[in-house]
Amino acid sequence: MSAQEVRVRYAPSPTGHLHIGNARTALFNYLYARHTGGKFIIRIEDTDQKRNVEGGELSQLNYLKWLGIDWDESIDREGDYGPYRQMERLDIYRKYVDELLERDLAYKCYMTEDELEQEREEQRAKGQVPMYSGAHRNLTQEEQEKYEREGRKPSIRLRVPSQETYTFFDIVKGKITFESADFGDWVILKKDGTPTYNFAVAVDDHLMKITHVLRGEDHISNTPKQMMVYRAFDWEVPTYAHMTLIVNEERKKLSKRDESIIQFIEQYEELGYLPEALFNFISLLGWSPVGEEEIFTKEEFIEMFDPERLSTSPAVFDSAKLKWMNNQYIKSSSLERVIQLAKPHLLKAGKIEENADEETEKWVHELIALYKEQLSYGAEIVELTELFFKKEAEYSDEAMDVLSQGHVPEMLANFRTQLEGLESFEADDIKAAIKATQKDTGNKGKKLFMPIRVATTAETNGPELPQAIHLLGKETVVHRLGQLIDELNNS
């Protein structure tokens, strides 16, 4: 490959939402283009009209933008190589099909689907790999006219050369070789006039001057067919890099039916993940930087991205690591941003109301701030803050073990008296009340803090205690302590 401008592409089908695997393909192509100062193209492969979903195209582009990926040419950013939707390029494909027919490198095949299926069944019965036999490879003009009179529409097949070897050097996999004998003549144009995937991809990649094709390893078997098209036209073949699969923690291929892993970018946005955390996490799925660091900015990834460092073994999707990584980003975000991330989930769960008064808004902000350090994603705020929305406390067996210690009733009674005497119920006032209880009862450390935490919050661990008690409110805390003291004294 000559030292020309790097041009790479991501070519989604508008068949649904942006999947983690597709996002990774787009991301690696984007990083490579930006690293080399090249161009990143998004091409919409929409020839499979039956599978296309309304809004699928827009959804793909919106969530790539959300992740922080931009592009140089596409349906919304015209370059010199459009159109960028395959269905708008049908005349282009037809021109190249006609050229192959003229040069007798392709031919019309009139076989029906039933005839083809029967042929495949006979081959299977003989223990052969099903492959087109070439039955219509050398039809006479008369035979073609006869089929036309019957109303048969032809598909166009490429003549696969005999005894030809297709070898390419893959950046990830190394040298890969295929033999032409393993392929029957394959369809390049369907009966309805739409091109097949492998033909359209080869034509588009050539005309759009694509220099490098970074894609999933499930496309390796498509490469020889695309190389056949390149050879037929004497075009230069791009450089390929086939990325390894993404697997779950059981080392099984990530299937869209695998419900143990959230797989669509849209779902992560809805759960309150940060786009830059997802960008970081996906960038490390099958690619590794030099060193042990794992948290990088987009600019740092662009600076160091090298396809030679793509992994040769499957990338494990570690959900716990993604949560950890998102927590790192939340911790370093502004409080305002974390409030925007978490508050909608409290609204959705019915914990707070829209357009609340100023005092309630302040309380919600303080509540989210209390959990900022431990929040893994926005929606988690609902579960973490459950205790602040309950009037009555429910004590677990573990909590009751703490509360059943002999010194606890007297100490809690003292603490309750301290709280009742407070004019202001801010965190600093509560901290002073805890110190006063320590002084009065002689209890300190775990013997002091643990029973107070459990009695007030019904939890054995949690966020900063004085602030948590402040947010629970004086009335709730005094009520809880009174009930609990009565219960402990009567047990």
Side-chain angles (χ1 to χ4, degrees), residues 388-403:
F388 293 92
F389 299 97
K390 288 178 177 174
K391 183 73 178 166
E392 303 300 328
E394 294 165 19
Y395 299 102
S396 66
D397 291 344
E398 188 187 1
M400 289 311 295
D401 285 345
V402 173
L403 297 171

Side-chain angles (χ1 to χ4, degrees), residues 404-422:
S404 62
Q405 298 170 69
H407 71 286
V408 169
E410 184 194 342
M411 188 185 75
L412 291 182
N414 182 288
F415 182 54
R416 183 176 185 240
T417 303
Q418 303 288 351
L419 293 183
E420 284 176 322
L422 293 177

